[in-house]
Amino acid sequence: VRRVEVAPPVATGQSTEPAVSRSHAPLFVRKTGAGPPVVLVHGGLPARHAWARQQELAARWSLMIPSRRGFSPSPPAPRQDFLVDAEDMAALVAGIPGGAHFVGFSYGGLGMCVAAGLQPSRVRSLTLLEVPLWRAAGADESVRRLAEVADRFAEGNRDARTEREFLAVAGLDRQSLDTRDDDMRQAIELARDFRSPGEASPRFGRIVEAGIPVLVVSGGHAPAIEVVCDAVAARTGAQRICVAGAGHAVQRAPGFNPMLEAFLTAAEHRASH
């Protein structure tokens, strides 16, 4: 395990939002294994919870597992912000010879997808696990409703129904809210304030033009999420898979690791020829 110093922020050049500021303190990145590099980026759950079942992949792959800003032991942050994440991921992959395979889960996949559009030549493949890219399917009524639920929750409008619907999609439950685990309590607080996923507009065109192999995975538990994943797959020419059995946390579902590894192996073979 080591702490990795990332480079200064790079300009995203793709948002009309005010300039994003973040700490220049080192981002914590856990490194294990040997083989081609794979960057695993967590969502609203802490990294050690999100990727616990992927440790077996370290036998054949070099796993790089950053804790996003705000999540200990990385520097604190006032809220979750996928534009800040994008800067961090772009800086991280810039320091990896030959680039890396990107695997992004939930909110963490937003910044990863933006970073892939910024530096497509550094991305060997891109795997997106239930990433809330609402704009890809913004015309769908169920997607618009889910996006509104997420935004209301982040804005503090948490009536019982909104909280129940948001937590269900986010893979959290009442037991999680009452946990004494410091990392989980921190994650719950960060879940209450985040840059809206509705602002995310990755450069899908650059990802396609670069020929990056893309895999989009869902868990079959929420119709609106399936619509979003279908739309993202259509925009990126992705392989599209539904892995049921673990709800939102598809990486915990039976058979997920062999499926992911088969995709990574094919992408690695393609990159080497």
Side-chain angles (χ1 to χ4, degrees), residues 3 21 32 37-38 67 72 84 86 100 104 106 108 152 154 164 166 172 177 181 207 236 242 248 250 253 259 264:
R3 188 177 294 272
S21 62
T32 61
V38 179
S67 290
S72 180
V84 172
S106 194
R152 286 203 308 273
R164 183 173 63 253
F166 175 79
L172 299 170
L177 297 180
D181 182 299
I207 292 172
T236 58
C242 180
H248 180 50
V250 294
M259 178 272 297
L264 295 176

Side-chain angles (χ1 to χ4, degrees), residues 1-6 27-40 47 54-55 57-59 61-67 73 92-93 95-97 99-100:
V1 180
R2 58 181 294 193
R3 188 177 294 272
V4 178
E5 184 82 52
V6 297
L27 190 71
F28 181 85
V29 182
R30 184 171 185 265
K31 299 183 70 175
T32 61
V38 179
V39 178
L40 302 170
Q54 277 58 64
Q55 294 307 311
L57 300 179
W61 305 85
S62 294
L63 304 183
M64 302 184 69
I65 307 177
S67 290
L92 178 60
V93 76
I96 304 173

Side-chain angles (χ1 to χ4, degrees), residues 38 49 95 110 137 203:
V38 179
H49 290 274
L110 294 172
R203 296 175 176 177

Side-chain angles (χ1 to χ4, degrees), residues 112-157:
M112 173 173 279
C113 207
V114 171
L118 292 171
Q119 297 188 359
S121 64
R122 310 296 301 169
V123 182
R124 300 189 190 188
S125 72
L126 179 64
T127 300
L128 303 173
L129 313 179
E130 294 212 352
V131 177
L133 289 158
W134 308 137
R135 285 191 180 187
D140 184 89
E141 179 60 31
S142 67
V143 173
R144 287 202 300 270
R145 169 161 174 72
L146 184 54
E148 289 170 359
V149 166
D151 284 347
R152 286 203 308 273
F153 187 86
E155 291 165 0
N157 301 321

